[in-house]
Amino acid sequence: MAFGLIRARNLSAADISSTDIHNARRYEAKEQYPLNVPLEKRNDNFIKAEYILENHEDYLGKKETTLAEAIEERLKINEVKGIKSNSNLAIEYVVGINDKKAWDNYNFDGFVSNTKQWLERRHGKDSVVAVYSHLDESNPHVHIIVVPIEKKTVKWKNTKGSGERTESRLNTRDYTGGREKLRGLQNDYFEHLTQRYDGGKKFGLELFRGTLVENQTKEYVEQTNHEIGELRTVLASLGDDIAKNIVQGQILEKQRILALKEVELKKEEDRRHSEKKNLWKLKGTRDNPDIFHGKTSAEEKSGEKKNRGHRPSR
């Protein structure tokens, strides 16, 4: 059974550097790689990082671009207003198929290109700023960074008068703000897979809808714990006090967000447990046929009444 998987998380300014280091594998030593990457794959042959810059002239001749530069360029070109120190600057999508047999039948680079185009249709032209293809882990997948920008009408008033103006603003909330938004993301992505890949036949597989929102939260907790471990590794290698303070601040911020997510996960687990408990408080299966057997049709009920109390003739 193969699933089309997509996860999303918001990135603030504090997340950008560590995300880029992890996704582009900007490690100084092989020991810093995630544990699930085999030693023989801890090199650039299994990683592809692409940064999409709208104003390429500013970066001609540069040997290396960073995610921070790509995001900054998109914000600058679009003259985005209203950015705060804790604003979510981007959304990171992690996308893949949970069965590596898919890539025996379909080109992975083609899948990455199709996914990028789908996200651009979802968020608007030039919204994708970075694409990281990961072939070093057991199951190939892609990380795509999107900076969602919307046009917003803002009212103004001063001593000279008042009026309205249109500004470019960041908008991650409309895509990741709450359970229903993330559930809609899963549905939309599964619809895209079904249409684009003929229900999975182009992968040689039968595809099913991906993880539930509560599973996404659980995966987020696991991923954040992993990132905190990476930051602690970086911290141990630093000698400069200023750099140490910056990394320690990043760790504390991730721990704060993680604590909130763990509370959210606990609430979701309690809610589901309560629903199951209430379900079993209902009467038996004859009075509640939906519990085990699905709904009984009117014809079946009618036939049941006719045959009740009568033995079949011999």
Side-chain angles (χ1 to χ4, degrees):
M1 183 178 290
F3 294 91
L5 302 178
I6 184 166
R7 300 201 310 271
R9 68 168 183 139
N10 294 330
L11 299 178
S12 66
D15 300 315
I16 302 303
S17 177
S18 59
T19 298
D20 198 25
I21 290 171
H22 172 76
N23 288 347
R25 303 294 195 246
R26 298 178 186 270
Y27 302 122
E28 295 181 359
K30 289 187 176 182
E31 291 73 23
Q32 294 176 320
Y33 273 72
L35 294 176
N36 61 333
V37 177
L39 284 172
E40 65 273 13
K41 290 187 176 182
R42 296 185 182 186
N43 57 68
D44 293 341
N45 295 330
F46 298 92
I47 288 292
K48 182 179 179 182
E50 177 189 5
Y51 302 92
I52 298 93
L53 297 168
E54 296 175 35
N55 189 5
H56 297 276
E57 291 79 7
D58 288 354
Y59 293 90
L60 287 176
K62 284 197 65 174
K63 291 183 178 179
E64 194 173 74
T65 303
T66 65
L67 177 59
E69 289 173 330
I71 292 174
E72 182 183 2
E73 185 68 14
R74 175 154 166 77
L75 296 177
K76 183 175 71 174
I77 288 175
N78 288 277
E79 298 180 342
V80 175
K81 307 293 184 182
I83 301 176
K84 301 177 182 178
S85 59
N86 62 344
S87 292
N88 291 321
L89 302 180
I91 302 172
E92 178 185 24
Y93 290 97
V94 185
V95 188
I97 307 296
N98 76 332
D99 192 332
K100 59 185 178 182
K101 292 178 183 177
W103 316 122
D104 295 334
N105 300 287
Y106 199 91
N107 180 268
F108 181 73
D109 287 341
F111 170 78
V112 171
S113 177
N114 293 337
T115 304
K116 175 177 175 287
Q117 291 172 18
W118 176 72
L119 285 171
E120 284 184 330
R121 289 195 298 271
R122 186 179 179 85
H123 291 283
K125 186 177 181 294
D126 298 323
S127 55
V128 173
V129 297
V131 179
Y132 307 87
S133 298
H134 283 187
L135 299 172
D136 56 351
E137 298 178 51
S138 59
N139 194 38
H141 58 276
V142 59
H143 295 247
I144 298 180
I145 311 297
V146 171
V147 177
I149 297 172
E150 67 170 0
K151 295 294 183 181
K152 187 174 182 179
T153 301
V154 179
K155 293 182 179 180
W156 62 270
K157 185 177 181 180
N158 56 33
T159 55
K160 295 182 180 180
S162 61
E164 294 182 346
R165 64 174 179 267
T166 301
E167 292 182 353
S168 295
R169 295 291 183 103
L170 285 166
N171 180 18
T172 60
R173 183 179 59 256
D174 281 357
Y175 301 97
T176 59
R179 180 183 303 148
E180 291 306 315
K181 298 290 185 184
L182 293 175
R183 195 182 299 276
L185 170 65
Q186 293 291 334
N187 292 335
D188 292 347
Y189 181 60
F190 182 63
E191 182 180 352
H192 159 69
L193 288 178
T194 302
Q195 294 176 356
R196 183 67 181 80
Y197 302 103
D198 195 14
K201 291 180 181 178
K202 292 185 179 181
F203 296 120
L205 302 166
E206 184 179 3
L207 283 179
F208 296 86
R209 184 186 179 279
T211 57
L212 298 173
V213 175
E214 54 268 26
N215 290 340
Q216 281 200 343
T217 305
K218 189 177 291 185
E219 289 169 359
Y220 177 86
V221 169
E222 292 173 355
Q223 174 67 20
T224 305
N225 275 320
H226 174 70
E227 291 171 2
I228 289 173
E230 289 183 334
L231 285 172
R232 283 175 175 158
T233 301
V234 173
L235 182 63
S237 66
L238 294 174
D240 182 70
D241 288 339
I242 296 177
K244 279 186 175 181
N245 288 336
I246 292 172
V247 174
Q248 284 174 337
Q250 292 175 349
I251 291 173
L252 289 173
E253 177 63 14
K254 284 188 177 293
Q255 287 174 332
R256 183 187 69 81
I257 296 173
L258 183 60
L260 294 174
K261 283 288 184 181
E262 287 175 331
V263 170
E264 180 184 330
L265 179 60
K266 181 65 167 59
K267 285 181 179 178
E268 181 62 26
E269 288 176 344
D270 289 344
R271 183 188 67 80
R272 291 174 65 81
H273 177 72
S274 177
E275 285 181 352
K276 288 182 180 179
K277 192 174 181 180
N278 290 335
L279 181 66
W280 287 104
K281 284 181 179 178
L282 297 174
K283 295 180 181 180
T285 56
R286 179 175 292 279
D287 295 317
N288 298 278
D290 295 357
I291 295 178
F292 294 110
H293 307 296
K295 294 183 178 180
T296 306
S297 67
E299 292 80 9
E300 288 173 332
K301 287 182 178 179
S302 175
E304 184 181 331
K305 287 181 180 179
K306 288 180 182 178
N307 294 327
R308 189 176 293 165
H310 297 280
R311 292 184 179 180
S313 58
R314 294 184 179 179

